[in-house]
Each structure stands twice: as C-alpha cells, then as structure tokens.
Amino acid sequence: MKPSSVFLALFSLITVTVADKVCTPSFDYCAAELISKKGFTEADLKAVLNGTSFEKEDLKNILFHCKNPGIVGSPKLCSSGCKDSAQEGSHNC
C-alpha cells in the first residue's frame, strides 16, 4: 500500500471518529448528556480530567465546557451534581 493511501485511510478514520462527537461551542454540558446524546464516551471525558484536580471525581459531578464542536474542556466541579436544563447547553451546578 502506498504511503498516501495509508495516510488517506488514517485521516478518514480520524475524521469519522471526531465527527461523531458534537457539542455547541461556548455551551456547558453535564457528562450524562455528552455521553447519551453527543457521542462522547466516559473514557473521552475522563481523559479531559487527567492531570486536573477533578481526576478522581465522579463524572456526574462535573460540568464540561464545549470549546469546539468535538472538544470539551474547562471542567467545573458541581458539589451537588450537575443539573440538566430544558435548554441545550444551559446546564449548571
């Protein structure tokens, strides 16, 4: 297989994987919604918490900020759990 074919196949796989994860930039989401409706996995969200003070926290207590359509970050601890809202991306502690 030519190197260009390998690159194209790898790029396609990465694009499909990233494309499945969707959130609206500048909106905040509870982990449960990111997992159940936005294509993220528990492993994705735990990876965001690696190296932070929230690394050992239960995901149900974390509010994530969507930075780009498939990228979340800026976790915030919700001591009494993340609360869902009727409007998308309007979740809070």
Side-chain angles (χ1 to χ4, degrees), residues 15-27 29 33-34 37-40 44-45 64-73 88:
T15 302
V16 168
T17 302
V18 172
D20 290 341
K21 300 172 190 170
V22 178
C23 60
T24 304
S26 299
F27 280 22
Y29 294 91
E33 182 172 1
L34 288 170
K37 298 179 183 172
K38 302 297 178 183
F40 289 83
D44 294 330
L45 301 180
F64 291 90
H65 184 74
C66 184
K67 300 190 297 187
N68 284 313
I71 300 172
V72 293
E88 179 181 353

Side-chain angles (χ1 to χ4, degrees), residues 29-38 45 59-60 62 64 82 84:
Y29 294 91
C30 296
E33 182 172 1
L34 288 170
I35 293 169
S36 68
K37 298 179 183 172
K38 302 297 178 183
L45 301 180
L59 286 176
K60 71 179 181 189
I62 304 292
F64 291 90
C82 189
D84 285 334

